[in-house]
Amino acid sequence: MRVAIAGAGAVGRSIAGELLENGHEILLIDKAPTAISVERVPLAEWLLADACEITSLDEAALQRCNVVIAATGDDKVNLVVSLLAKTEYGVPRVVARVNNPKNEWLFNESWGVDVAVSTPRLMSALVEEAVSVGDLVRLLRFSHGDANLVELTLPPESAVTGTQVGDVVWPEDTSLVTIIRGTRVLTPNPEETLEAGDELLFVAAQAREEQLEDLLSVRREETA
């Protein structure tokens, strides 16, 4: 898979290194000569250019990329790169970094963004995830379909604790992606029994999040 990364700072280089280890073809683009540090990511291609300019993106052959990552420290630049990648070059997958949470509402399909990653939001979500049991935590927002990646640690008093996955009536537009139990990552097959302390990861429509949280965190009171 060919991936172009706009922004060769610490974030861009780190992403490049991870993707190279997984066997992908990486192009790093940055307009600042000081950011071009080939020795730091020697297996990547490097391009000294302004990723907001069509001529630069033509030189980068962006139409050959499967994924474009807008990873600069400037939200305006990331939005422009995302829009150009999607509308001018038809890149199938565009991932954009959100630096200022106040700008997060802009990072949607109107600007060509498929996945928006807000570092401040993600950090706060991870803090919440570490200390919260029974509360739904939003980890990542997907622009298409208005869906989010959400997590909930199952409390002992949950109505579904001890229930098999296939017996739970999940809300519409909700999919259980995986179950993390201790150090194990489990495929949520219908026969798997949910246990207290399980970390459940879902892709869910935003409109269904409250319903999902109610289902998982509160045990129904038995009627006499």
Side-chain angles (χ1 to χ4, degrees), residues 144-157:
H144 290 309
D146 194 27
N148 299 311
L149 178 66
V150 298
E151 183 271 351
L152 184 140
T153 300
L154 202 62
E157 65 273 14

Side-chain angles (χ1 to χ4, degrees), residues 4 12 20 27 30 38 61-62 68 78 87 96 99 127 164 199 219:
L20 283 165
L27 169 64
D30 205 297
V38 179
L62 220 64
V68 165
N78 291 342
T87 60
N99 297 279
V127 170
Q164 290 187 336
E199 292 184 51
R219 180 175 293 279

Side-chain angles (χ1 to χ4, degrees), residues 15 64 69 77 109 117 140 174 193 195 213:
I15 296 169
R64 292 178 45 223
I69 302 174
V77 171
E109 59 185 354
V117 181
L140 191 65
T174 299
T193 299
E195 299 181 3
E213 185 171 24

Side-chain angles (χ1 to χ4, degrees), residues 90-113:
V91 177
R93 190 73 163 171
V94 177
V95 180
R97 173 188 177 188
V98 185
N99 297 279
N100 187 341
K102 292 181 180 180
N103 296 330
E104 191 173 1
W105 67 276
L106 288 166
F107 286 74
N108 55 38
E109 59 185 354
S110 298
W111 280 92
V113 179

Side-chain angles (χ1 to χ4, degrees), residues 6-7 29-31 49-53 57 69-84 96-97 99 107 111:
I29 308 170
D30 205 297
K31 67 178 182 180
D50 186 345
C52 292
E53 297 289 341
L57 300 181
I69 302 174
T72 78
D74 188 325
D75 285 345
K76 296 188 294 295
V77 171
N78 291 342
L79 285 170
V80 171
V81 171
S82 298
L83 184 63
L84 291 175
R97 173 188 177 188
N99 297 279
F107 286 74
W111 280 92

Side-chain angles (χ1 to χ4, degrees), residues 3 14 45 51 53 62 95 105 109 116 118 122 138 159 171 192 194 200 208 217:
V3 181
S14 178
E45 297 177 46
E53 297 289 341
L62 220 64
V95 180
W105 67 276
E109 59 185 354
S118 172
L122 182 57
R138 188 181 299 168
E192 187 66 49
L194 298 171
L200 309 180
R208 301 295 182 182
S217 61

